Amino acid sequence: MSKRKSAAQKKRQVMPWAKMLIALAVLACVGLVYLDAQVRYSFADKQWQVPARVYARAQQLHQGKWLTQTDLETELVMLGYEKSTNWRQPGRYMASGNQLWISTRGYRSVAGQVKPLRFSVHFSGEKSGSEKSSDEKISGLFDASGASLPGATLEPLEIGSIYPRHREDRSLIRLDQVPRSLVDILLIIEDRNFYQHLGLSPRAIARALVANVQAGRTVQGGSTLTQQLVKNMFLTTDRSFWRKGVEALMALLVELHYSKQEILEAYINEVYLGQEGPRAIHGFDLASRHYFNRPLTELDHGQVALLVGLVKGPSYYDPWRNPERATQRRNIVLQVMLEQQMITPQQHQQFSHAQLQLAKDSAVDGVYPAYLDLVRRQLRRDYDDESLQTEGMKIFTAFDPIVQHHAEKSLANVLKNKQEDLQAAMVVTDVNNGNVIAVVGGRQMRYAGFNRALDAVRPVGSLIKPAVYLAALEQSNKGEQDGSGYTLAKAISDGPVQVQGRDGSMWQPRNFDRESHGQVLLHKALANSYNQATARLGMEVGLDKVLGMVDRLGVKRQLPALPSMLLGAGELSPIEVASMYQTMASHGMYSPLRSIIDIADSNVVAMARYPLNQYQVIDRSLMHLLHYAMLEVVREGTGKNVYQQLPANFRVAGKTGTTNDLRDSWFAGFSGDYLAVVWMGRDDNQSAGLTGSSGALTVWREFIANASHQPLNFNAPPGITYHWIDENTGLLSREMCQGSRYMPFLQGTAPTARSRCQGALPGVWRWFKSIFD
């Protein structure tokens, strides 16, 4: 009896342990099944999640195109082309005198495959009549045999990507596209027994353990390539035993389900190799472009050795922050390559003593966060985040890297001599189509953050005045007979203005010079930006008509229906100002600003196109009158400092803007090819100490001097007649009369009364007339 009882007691004691073991076994099985499912179902999805890539416009070359040799070489460098006498290999070019020999890589566009091409570009010193140093044109294109070419196209520059919230970026490459030398040295350095083990290498683990014990710290890892892949794809950087155990199990499962070639290809596309601001650089193909701005297939042995060396610690061996460490690490890999007879002693000598050959001065050079911000905002109207971040879409934009280069350089040159807390923004468009081709969002041009070009909503000051005068000129068809219409020669009062508000307060605008100027002609009031004359004119025309004109010009933000709006109390961002001035620059043709031209899938098959959409909103003849006055702004008025840097016969138009207490400095203006809007000020809204002329204008004029090739087209459209007008009275005059000016009018609106001629003036107004001919 006692024995049976003892046995029962023992059975009861054993049962809980057995149940516990069974439960643990079940949990282990469930855990293993979970890990297996995660590997099988997530491996492929994770491997092929590729962010959308964003590209600039493709540079199209043809005879007669205005383009300097310097600018074309700059773009070739941006594209990662190597300058070499052996120029016939793709991705290389040679310069000699006024000629460039180029061997393009070719690329796939939405229109089809663009084949690689070898050709030469010849430049002429011909000027456009403006005597601008930037005016140089292509005089001819010739293929390798010397035959004339109608045109050639460079591949578009990749300017960024729309990466996920975890900020990982990668570009995929097939294993058979990877240079064999890179694969071989990668396996030798990181996992010599890759093809022999099943995901774990006991020998490597033991070797690392001994080395670490001897050193008293972690100096060597024992992870295989498969374990590294698992860590990168599925796990955190936590160094606990639990995570290492999970890593080992998942490595075995990966080896069970996938071939060595698939694992190696995934590793090459997944391994973390550096950081570009907030963007994590994954994979050797993207790293090749990040560090050297060249395809992986064009790298030399030294560059391959650096990339493989970075696997050990991209931050520790960062070649920009720690060039000496990076060089030492590269040379260790080169030494192994020599020992394995992958390179000759001569090659080892050459590459181990060479510079690191980085394509840029810092990790974030070649990054355009402000423009990418604009692209993202336009994309998200039509696409969800997941599609943009995982499907490898190709976004082709209007971005012009050369124009951006000149915009950034102009802004940097001016800001370097200004106070450190002074900020700036700039937007550049193509006057012919409304394409946004360059954006600068702030003083720190390479860093994402507050994008002032899109989001700095500030009072625009006198930039609003052209809309006031245009609204008045639109009433010129009433005729001058009854004095109710407005022409450029209409006399208006610049006397003091007082307007009582609803609360009893008195609005009393003053001119910048604190003087009143009596009766002035309308064109002169705009050229000199007289506040009193403008306020009186706007109230005579009507606030509703002025606000309606602002809306027709392209501003969709609601501005305050107050008299102070007439002098720029309304707030706009630089991109909104660009929309308004784009309509002015394009002779009254409204074009919604666009950054995106085409969208394609990962195979570059077209998915969507953003067509050009233009329509006339302001009569071309009215815009000719406004252009006359805005030409006068930069010839004689508040913007005359423009011609301290531009040739006298290079025709441009624009308007300065200054706000109360010199808080905001604006300039918006256009030539025949580009419209540029510049804002300068402080984020804390304190005084910047700059007028529109002393601040923003200086950036604008330097940009136009270096980037623009075409003066403004000022040919009179139908419906415009020119007459000699007395500058003081606004009455008809004669060419040789003193104080006479040659001015445009809508047909039938010119004055009929004549002034008395006070004698001949020697040449000054004939010179002025020639400017507009």
Side-chain angles (χ1 to χ4, degrees):
M1 183 68 178
S2 61
K3 289 182 178 180
R4 286 197 301 269
K5 187 176 180 180
S6 177
Q9 288 176 341
K10 288 181 178 180
K11 185 176 181 180
R12 284 195 298 270
Q13 291 173 354
V14 171
M15 284 295 289
W17 288 104
K19 288 180 180 179
M20 187 177 295
L21 289 173
I22 292 170
L24 288 173
V26 170
L27 286 174
C29 289
V30 171
L32 193 61
V33 169
Y34 170 77
L35 292 179
D36 183 68
Q38 188 176 5
V39 166
R40 287 190 294 115
Y41 295 114
S42 301
F43 187 87
D45 289 342
K46 176 79 171 177
Q47 184 180 355
W48 300 108
Q49 288 183 1
V50 181
R53 314 216 79 77
V54 184
Y55 297 89
R57 60 93 185 99
Q59 177 69 275
Q60 297 180 337
L61 308 173
H62 57 81
Q63 184 175 354
K65 179 170 185 170
W66 293 106
L67 179 68
T68 69
Q69 183 172 341
T70 299
D71 281 349
L72 182 53
E73 283 199 65
T74 298
E75 184 154 356
L76 289 170
V77 171
M78 290 178 178
L79 288 167
Y81 278 60
E82 180 184 354
K83 192 172 186 178
S84 172
T85 54
N86 184 19
W87 67 276
R88 292 177 176 271
Q89 294 187 30
R92 293 186 177 182
Y93 77 98
M94 180 179 73
S96 177
N98 64 342
Q99 301 176 29
L100 293 177
W101 284 263
I102 304 170
S103 181
T104 65
R105 300 183 178 111
Y107 68 101
R108 184 170 180 79
S109 73
V110 291
Q113 187 67 37
V114 178
K115 296 181 178 179
L117 182 65
R118 295 173 184 159
F119 62 97
S120 62
V121 187
H122 297 233
F123 295 87
S124 72
E126 180 182 348
K127 302 298 181 182
S128 65
S130 68
E131 300 177 359
K132 284 175 80 267
S133 60
S134 63
D135 284 341
E136 190 176 301
K137 66 164 54 175
I138 296 176
S139 60
L141 291 174
F142 304 91
D143 65 19
S145 68
S148 180
L149 281 175
T153 306
L154 301 179
E155 66 269 29
L157 176 70
E158 183 181 316
I159 62 173
S161 56
I162 312 295
Y163 47 82
R165 288 188 181 89
H166 54 64
R167 297 180 173 180
E168 293 180 3
D169 197 3
R170 59 183 55 78
S171 60
L172 300 181
I173 188 170
R174 296 195 310 271
L175 188 59
D176 59 11
Q177 296 174 311
V178 181
R180 189 67 229 177
S181 61
L182 188 149
V183 175
D184 290 344
I185 191 59
L186 174 66
L187 293 178
I188 291 170
I189 295 294
E190 292 296 323
D191 193 350
R192 290 175 182 247
N193 299 314
F194 175 71
Y195 286 105
Q196 283 73 50
H197 63 66
L198 295 177
L200 303 175
S201 176
R203 183 183 302 175
I205 293 172
R207 184 173 62 247
L209 182 62
V210 171
N212 294 338
V213 168
Q214 290 176 344
R217 58 189 177 89
T218 303
V219 295
Q220 185 174 329
S223 296
T224 64
L225 245 64
T226 312
Q227 288 176 276
Q228 293 180 41
L229 176 62
V230 165
K231 181 178 67 176
N232 277 322
M233 293 186 76
F234 303 112
L235 302 175
T236 68
T237 56
D238 178 35
R239 296 195 173 193
S240 67
F241 286 109
W242 170 257
R243 192 200 64 79
K244 292 297 290 184
V246 172
E247 177 188 299
L249 283 174
M250 294 185 80
L252 292 170
L253 291 170
V254 168
E255 292 275 352
L256 176 65
H257 291 294
Y258 300 98
S259 70
K260 288 290 187 180
Q261 298 300 91
E262 290 173 313
I263 295 170
L264 184 56
E265 181 174 280
Y267 180 89
I268 286 171
N269 285 315
E270 181 63 29
V271 62
Y272 172 66
L273 288 169
Q275 199 75 25
E276 183 185 83
R279 182 173 74 142
I281 305 299
H282 286 259
F284 281 95
D285 190 55
L286 185 61
S288 176
R289 297 183 183 277
H290 172 62
Y291 290 106
F292 308 115
N293 198 21
R294 304 179 69 186
L296 198 57
T297 53
E298 293 182 14
L299 299 189
D300 61 34
H301 292 300
Q303 293 166 328
V304 167
L306 178 59
L307 290 186
V308 171
L310 287 173
V311 172
K312 185 176 181 180
S315 297
Y316 186 78
Y317 295 108
D318 185 317
W320 285 293
R321 291 186 300 169
N322 304 299
E324 292 183 1
R325 287 183 196 163
T327 302
Q328 291 171 359
R329 180 63 182 164
R330 178 201 64 183
N331 291 348
I332 289 173
V333 177
L334 284 170
Q335 181 61 35
V336 175
M337 293 175 76
L338 176 64
E339 293 167 0
Q340 296 294 319
Q341 298 182 345
M342 296 174 63
I343 57 176
T344 65
Q346 291 78 14
Q347 288 174 321
H348 175 264
Q349 179 76 7
Q350 173 190 348
F351 293 118
S352 62
H353 287 86
Q355 298 294 320
L356 291 175
Q357 304 179 69
L358 301 173
K360 47 192 181 181
D361 294 330
S362 75
V364 294
D365 274 3
V367 176
Y368 307 101
Y371 195 91
L372 284 174
D373 187 17
L374 176 63
V375 171
R376 287 190 189 96
R377 296 186 195 198
Q378 295 192 357
L379 278 173
R380 283 172 178 152
R381 300 173 191 169
D382 303 317
Y383 296 91
D384 59 75
D385 284 349
E386 184 177 358
S387 297
L388 294 173
Q389 295 167 0
T390 63
E391 295 183 3
M393 295 162 61
K394 311 291 185 185
I395 315 298
F396 297 96
T397 73
F399 180 81
D400 190 316
I402 296 303
V403 174
Q404 179 78 21
H405 168 74
H406 286 302
E408 292 177 352
K409 188 175 180 181
S410 301
L411 207 56
N413 285 344
V414 172
L415 286 174
K416 69 183 179 183
N417 297 318
K418 304 293 184 183
Q419 52 191 315
E420 290 185 4
D421 53 4
L422 185 68
Q423 278 293 348
M426 189 171 182
V427 176
V428 184
T429 68
D430 185 328
V431 300
N432 298 302
N433 49 37
N435 286 343
V436 181
I437 54 180
V439 179
V440 182
R443 189 170 190 144
Q444 301 297 322
M445 302 169 192
R446 294 288 169 263
Y447 293 93
F450 182 52
N451 190 345
R452 294 163 188 82
L454 308 186
D455 297 324
V457 181
R458 307 286 291 236
V460 295
S462 296
L463 291 191
I464 203 71
K465 288 178 180 175
V468 178
Y469 287 80
L470 191 57
L473 290 168
E474 196 170 41
Q475 298 187 33
S476 61
N477 56 9
K478 291 181 179 179
E480 278 294 298
Q481 290 75 12
D482 62 0
S484 62
Y486 294 95
T487 70
L488 293 175
K490 171 82 170 182
I492 58 177
S493 172
D494 186 51
V497 174
Q498 291 186 345
V499 179
Q500 187 171 3
R502 294 177 181 176
D503 60 356
S505 62
M506 193 68 68
W507 181 61
Q508 297 176 284
R510 300 285 302 276
N511 288 328
F512 185 78
D513 61 4
R514 302 297 179 186
E515 300 287 337
S516 297
H517 304 95
Q519 291 292 111
V520 295
L521 300 191
L522 188 143
H523 72 91
K524 187 173 182 179
L526 178 57
N528 292 291
S529 203
Y530 291 153
N531 289 333
Q532 295 172 177
T534 303
R536 179 174 283 104
L537 177 66
M539 288 186 291
E540 288 177 0
V541 171
L543 291 178
D544 58 334
K545 288 186 173 61
V546 174
L547 288 170
M549 179 60 69
V550 171
D551 178 77
R552 286 162 61 193
L553 287 170
V555 175
K556 302 311 173 188
R557 183 185 297 271
Q558 187 172 356
L559 298 180
L562 298 171
S564 58
M565 176 275 299
L566 299 169
L567 302 182
E571 298 180 342
L572 297 174
S573 66
I575 193 80
E576 290 174 310
V577 173
S579 182
M580 178 170 68
Y581 274 73
Q582 172 67 31
T583 307
M584 299 180 201
S586 60
H587 305 278
M589 187 78 72
Y590 173 67
S591 305
L593 300 186
R594 66 172 182 171
S595 61
I596 303 167
I597 308 299
D598 289 297
I599 297 179
D601 63 17
S602 59
N603 296 314
V604 203
V605 176
M607 294 173 60
R609 180 166 180 79
Y610 291 70
L612 180 63
N613 185 16
Q614 292 181 310
Y615 50 95
Q616 198 81 35
V617 292
I618 308 295
D619 190 87
R620 192 178 179 92
S621 57
L622 278 173
M623 293 307 305
H624 186 79
L625 301 182
L626 183 66
H627 281 190
Y628 179 96
M630 294 178 73
L631 283 162
E632 192 178 344
V633 169
V634 297
R635 289 288 176 187
E636 307 172 44
T638 58
K640 62 185 178 182
N641 287 344
V642 159
Y643 284 98
Q644 290 182 0
Q645 199 163 350
L646 289 179
N649 59 349
F650 191 81
R651 195 182 302 114
V652 296
K655 186 69 188 77
T656 54
T658 307
T659 62
N660 292 344
D661 301 321
L662 307 183
R663 289 189 176 98
D664 302 277
S665 170
W666 290 91
F667 192 85
F670 44 90
S671 60
D673 44 12
Y674 301 132
L675 158 72
V677 175
V678 181
W679 168 85
M680 298 177 73
R682 289 175 49 162
D683 289 340
D684 61 7
N685 204 32
Q686 296 300 305
S687 176
L690 297 170
T691 64
S693 180
S694 64
L697 179 147
T698 62
V699 176
W700 187 92
R701 74 185 180 197
E702 180 170 336
F703 166 74
I704 291 296
N706 291 302
S708 178
H709 303 284
Q710 299 176 24
L712 175 64
N713 175 11
F714 194 64
N715 294 329
I720 289 290
T721 60
Y722 269 79
H723 300 272
W724 287 97
I725 299 296
D726 184 279
E727 177 67 8
N728 295 315
T729 65
L731 302 179
L732 288 176
S733 183
R734 293 183 176 83
E735 179 177 0
M736 299 308 295
C737 291
Q738 185 176 0
S740 63
R741 179 187 291 264
Y742 200 55
M743 295 178 61
F745 295 84
L746 295 183
Q747 198 161 13
T749 65
T752 55
R754 289 189 174 273
S755 66
R756 296 181 61 185
C757 184
Q758 298 298 318
L761 181 69
V764 62
W765 294 120
R766 282 178 301 189
W767 170 82
F768 192 84
K769 175 179 179 291
S770 72
I771 293 298
F772 299 114
D773 286 342

